[in-house]
Amino acid sequence: MSSVGEEVTPRLLDEYTQGFMVSQVLFAACELGVFDVLAEAREPLGSDAVAARLGSSPRGIELLLDTCASLKLLHVETGGGRALYKNTELSSTYLVRSSPRSQQNMLLYLGRTTYLCWAHLAQAVREGKNQYLNTFGVPSEELFTAIYRSEEERLQFMRGLQDVWSVQGRSVMTAFDLSPFPLVCDLGGCSGALAKECVSLYPGCQVTIFDVPQVVGTAKKHFPFPDGGRISFREGDFFKDPLPEADLYILARVLHDWTDESCSRLLRRIYQSCREGGGVLVIESLLDADGRGPLTTQLFSLNMLVQTEGQERTPAQYQALLATAGFRDVRCQRTRGIYGAVLARK
Ligand SMILES: C[S@@+](CC[C@H](N)C(=O)[O-])C[C@H]1O[C@@H](n2cnc3c(N)ncnc32)[C@H](O)[C@@H]1O
């Protein structure tokens, strides 16, 4: 039995309290290029060598590397009074910029933008709205004007969103057999990550990426597309402009940005443009039926509060939105990842 003098705060409370510091260790190590330098070196490096290559303070780097080692982001070998560091498999796969499954762009976006908005979480809960004004002094009446504060910010956001599909894109695009839909329109298709997955999985299909003009411009300039003419672009505002006719409309991480009212408006427009027998594929992080989990999706939902006008939803909530717009045969498929798919037919 412990006496009052030995009392410690519960481990769970400590973990939660320090959670933001752990995130920052990860973000800072990405920002500084720690994992990239260790990947390029091809042999374990001492902290002085890492500090020299990054032009950072030896003391700061040593503290950061040792903390990364405790977090299992780095291996450390000690011998002869020296510590040598190298990437773990987790870091080599997901944190090194040149890895095909790298999540580095998303982590940089989270560290540079999302993290700052989360400093205003309590205010977001009080006001029930996003925190672009409090965080960056940017009014958020035009949501995506606020989100895309600069060309650099837009590119970082687009690269970050793409990172997730480099790992989970295949599972969401195979959640249903999409081969009956030859003409696909990816609304809010951004950098084209899912469009590329779609044409590689379904040889007969063509995809139009529909997005706002700035995003289409950035996608064409900064992201590679396969030859063959099966992916094309259309610039426009999906709330106002005519939508391309298609057999299947993809809405990936689009509805979670908007209120129920805006979602219904968009889904009604899609229903009108959709070919008879066609459908809509909603790809989102799905809440459990009672809305009380999974925790990651609940955190994403709070993130939608802090950064957008929307929220994450349960399958039944998506079903209700789709049915109100006229869609039928609504089917939901969860995947092993955090994103699931909902397919509905016209
Ligand atoms: C959260 S991102 C999701 C991007 C992509 N579907 C994905 O899953 O990675 C939302 C996308 O919707 C686009 N978008 C927002 N408002 C739009 C509008 N009014 N018309 C067309 N696209 C819009 C954004 O530019 C952005 O590419």
Side-chain angles (χ1 to χ4, degrees):
M1 226 169 72
S2 66
S3 71
V4 172
E6 290 170 341
E7 195 180 342
V8 291
T9 45
R11 180 189 281 264
L12 194 62
L13 187 59
D14 283 341
E15 276 178 20
Y16 294 169
T17 306
Q18 294 149 14
F20 81 97
M21 297 181 196
V22 174
S23 301
Q24 279 297 5
V25 168
L26 185 57
F27 299 156
C30 285
E31 185 82 49
L32 292 162
V34 165
F35 307 110
D36 301 321
V37 152
L38 289 171
E40 282 154 21
R42 294 174 189 280
E43 60 177 1
L45 293 180
S47 67
D48 280 354
V50 176
R53 290 178 196 208
L54 296 177
S56 297
S57 78
R59 179 169 162 267
I61 286 292
E62 187 177 15
L63 293 175
L64 187 68
L65 296 185
D66 279 332
T67 311
C68 283
S70 289
L71 291 171
K72 299 186 171 53
L73 300 174
L74 296 179
H75 282 302
V76 57
E77 296 164 5
T78 48
R82 283 194 80 206
L84 295 173
Y85 303 85
K86 66 178 184 183
N87 287 325
T88 57
E89 198 183 326
L90 179 84
S91 306
S92 300
T93 309
Y94 297 109
L95 302 178
V96 171
R97 173 168 287 275
S98 56
S99 163
R101 295 161 86 78
S102 178
Q103 301 297 297
Q104 199 189 89
N105 284 299
M106 181 45 102
L107 294 171
L108 292 177
Y109 180 78
L110 291 172
R112 292 171 184 168
T113 300
T114 307
Y115 185 82
L116 306 183
C117 294
W118 273 71
H120 303 275
L121 177 61
Q123 191 63 7
V125 170
R126 253 182 233 117
E127 296 175 358
K129 64 178 200 188
N130 73 60
Q131 293 299 301
Y132 281 99
L133 190 59
N134 287 330
T135 311
F136 303 113
V138 179
S140 61
E141 279 74 40
E142 286 285 333
L143 178 61
F144 274 85
T145 309
I147 289 176
Y148 300 141
R149 287 174 295 133
S150 63
E151 164 82 28
E152 194 190 359
E153 176 86 0
R154 181 166 59 245
L155 185 56
Q156 189 64 53
F157 181 65
M158 292 172 70
R159 287 186 166 143
L161 290 172
Q162 172 161 284
D163 280 354
V164 180
W165 296 139
S166 71
V167 178
Q168 298 190 44
R170 186 143 292 230
S171 65
V172 293
M173 293 306 287
T174 52
F176 293 100
D177 175 16
L178 303 180
S179 56
F181 306 107
L183 203 55
V184 177
C185 176
D186 189 357
L187 291 167
C190 205
S191 65
L194 288 184
K196 286 177 219 168
E197 201 68 59
C198 197
V199 296
S200 91
L201 282 164
Y202 301 99
C205 87
Q206 299 214 340
V207 186
T208 304
I209 296 168
F210 186 100
D211 214 304
V212 296
Q214 304 92 309
V215 167
V216 169
T218 304
K220 285 179 175 169
K221 190 167 157 195
H222 292 280
F223 294 83
F225 282 89
D227 295 332
R230 291 173 59 205
I231 297 179
S232 57
F233 291 91
R234 175 86 79 85
E235 297 177 356
D237 178 337
F238 51 43
F239 288 118
K240 294 185 188 144
D241 296 319
L243 303 180
E245 192 186 355
D247 299 302
L248 182 75
Y249 294 85
I250 298 175
L251 284 172
R253 295 187 287 186
V254 167
L255 296 182
H256 75 169
D257 291 334
W258 304 103
T259 60
D260 283 358
E261 193 187 29
S262 296
C263 290
S264 292
R265 190 149 53 98
L266 178 56
L267 289 171
R268 276 197 302 273
R269 301 195 83 229
I270 293 172
Y271 188 84
Q272 278 157 13
S273 303
C274 187
R275 288 181 175 176
E276 213 53 50
V280 58
L281 180 71
V282 174
I283 296 168
E284 295 285 0
S285 185
L286 298 170
L287 283 168
D288 293 340
D290 63 5
R292 305 205 184 285
L295 175 63
T296 301
T297 311
Q298 292 176 304
L299 293 173
F300 284 4
S301 209
L302 279 174
N303 193 48
M304 293 301 113
L305 175 72
V306 160
Q307 286 204 271
T308 74
E309 297 177 6
Q311 63 184 82
E312 306 299 348
R313 295 178 172 89
T314 64
Q317 287 172 318
Y318 284 115
Q319 162 140 31
L321 288 170
L322 287 158
T324 307
F327 289 100
R328 59 181 171 80
D329 295 344
V330 184
R331 287 186 291 153
C332 170
Q333 192 71 47
R334 293 183 186 270
T335 68
R336 286 200 307 126
I338 194 62
Y339 290 97
V342 179
L343 179 67
R345 304 297 289 260
K346 176 168 175 176

